[in-house]
Amino acid sequence: MIHRKTEQEIELMRESNQIVSDVHRLLMSHVKPGARVSELDAMAEDFIRASGALPAFKGYSSGSRSIPDFPATLCVSIDDEVVHGIPTERALEEGQIVSIDVGTEKNGFFGDGAITLPVGRVDPEKQRLMDVTRESLFRGIAKAVPGGKLQDISAAIQQHVEENGFAVVRDLVGHGIGRKLHEEPPVPNFGRAGNGPTLDVGMTLAIEPMVNYGSFKVRIAANGWTVLTRDGSASAHFEHTVYISKDGPVTLTNHFERKNG
Ligand code: MG
C-alpha cells in the first residue's frame, strides 16, 4: 500500500530531509585526498544526533541472520562500489568518486538522499558519469507529477543514462519513504512510460539512479552489504526525496544542489 502524506506530515518529512541536506553540505568540504571515511562517518553521526535526529542506516537489518546489521551512519561507496559501502579507516585518494548516502529519522519520519563527489581532480569520463547520473535524477523528478505513472520517472532516467552510453543498475531501486525508510512503491530506474501505479498528491518517493560506466551487472562483496559493479567499472549514485504536490514535484533534500543541477 502506498501511504499518502498530509501537509503536516510533509512538514515533518521536510525537517528530516533538511538534516540530510545539511550533512551533505557539511561533508562536501571534507571530501578530499587523505580524508578518512570513518571520520566523515563520525562527523555525520554527531551532526545528525545534535539535530535531534537518528541515523537511519545504523543498525539497519539486511533481513538475513548471517549478515550483521549495517554498522555506520553513512553509506560511502567509492569508484566501483555502487551503494552500501561500509565506512572504514580507508583514506580517500585523488581521482576517486565517492557516493555519500545519508538517512535520517526525526519525529517518526525519514529522510534519504545521496550525492556523488569527486576526490580532487578526476578523470573527465568519471566526471561525465557523475553529471549524467545527476541529470538523470532531475529528468526523473520532473515526471513526478499527479496523474502521471510511476514508470514515467523510471523511463526518463533510463533514457538519459542510455543515450549517454552508460548503464542503469537493475538489482537495486528507489522507494517510497515516510514513516519507514523503505515504503511502497519500488521506484525502478528503468521501465516503460505509461506503466506502473498512478502518481498522486501526497506520495513521497526516494528517487535514486545508480549508474555504471560499463555493464549494469553488480555483485555483493564478502561483507554482505557493499554492492560492486561486476566488471570493476566506476558507478555513480544521486538520490533525492521528492514530494508530489498538486503543483508537481517538490524536492525535500539538497535544495542547494538544484542551482547546479
Ligand atoms: Mg534510498
Side-chain angles (χ1 to χ4, degrees), residues 48-83:
I48 289 168
R49 292 192 190 278
S51 307
L54 294 171
F57 302 158
K58 198 163 194 172
Y60 195 87
S61 168
S62 72
S64 159
R65 250 183 285 170
S66 57
I67 301 167
D69 292 347
F70 195 79
T73 292
L74 300 175
C75 294
V76 180
S77 308
I78 303 171
D79 284 344
D80 63 331
E81 296 172 348
V82 178
V83 285

Side-chain angles (χ1 to χ4, degrees), residues 26-230:
L26 170 72
L27 294 180
M28 279 175 101
S29 58
H30 294 274
V31 169
K32 53 189 173 196
R36 291 199 184 278
V37 177
S38 51
E39 286 166 10
L40 301 177
D41 190 66
M43 228 181 278
E45 180 168 3
D46 289 348
F47 184 90
I48 289 168
R49 292 192 190 278
S51 307
L54 294 171
F57 302 158
K58 198 163 194 172
Y60 195 87
S61 168
S62 72
S64 159
R65 250 183 285 170
S66 57
I67 301 167
D69 292 347
F70 195 79
T73 292
L74 300 175
C75 294
V76 180
S77 308
I78 303 171
D79 284 344
D80 63 331
E81 296 172 348
V82 178
V83 285
H84 306 164
I86 298 177
T88 64
E89 298 294 306
R90 174 180 186 184
L92 298 178
E93 293 167 28
E94 177 100 24
Q96 291 175 329
I97 60 171
V98 185
S99 150
I100 297 180
D101 197 345
V102 182
T104 58
E105 180 189 2
K106 188 173 182 183
N107 299 319
F109 284 89
F110 284 84
D112 195 2
I115 52 174
T116 301
L117 298 168
V119 183
R121 289 172 65 96
V122 302
D123 179 284
E125 282 295 276
K126 279 184 171 177
Q127 185 62 51
R128 194 168 69 86
L129 175 68
M130 290 189 289
D131 292 344
V132 167
T133 306
R134 193 181 58 238
E135 289 158 12
S136 77
L137 171 58
F138 285 103
R139 303 265 179 130
I141 289 172
K143 299 291 183 184
V145 295
K149 297 288 184 184
L150 186 111
Q151 288 190 32
D152 297 351
I153 299 172
S154 317
I157 292 170
Q158 180 178 20
Q159 187 186 350
H160 187 64
V161 168
E162 293 182 352
E163 273 173 6
N164 282 280
F166 300 134
V168 164
V169 171
R170 306 295 202 269
D171 291 7
L172 297 122
V173 297
H175 49 94
I177 179 169
R179 287 189 189 276
K180 290 186 183 164
L181 179 61
H182 297 116
E183 293 186 349
E184 291 295 313
V187 184
N189 300 301
F190 55 94
R192 295 171 67 139
N195 287 352
T198 302
L199 302 173
D200 205 353
V201 175
M203 287 185 184
T204 43
L205 305 175
I207 304 174
E208 50 176 324
M210 290 153 263
V211 176
N212 295 351
Y213 191 83
S215 156
F216 68 85
K217 291 183 179 164
V218 297
R219 67 184 176 91
I220 310 284
N223 66 24
W225 279 103
T226 309
V227 178
L228 299 129
T229 60
R230 216 182 275 180

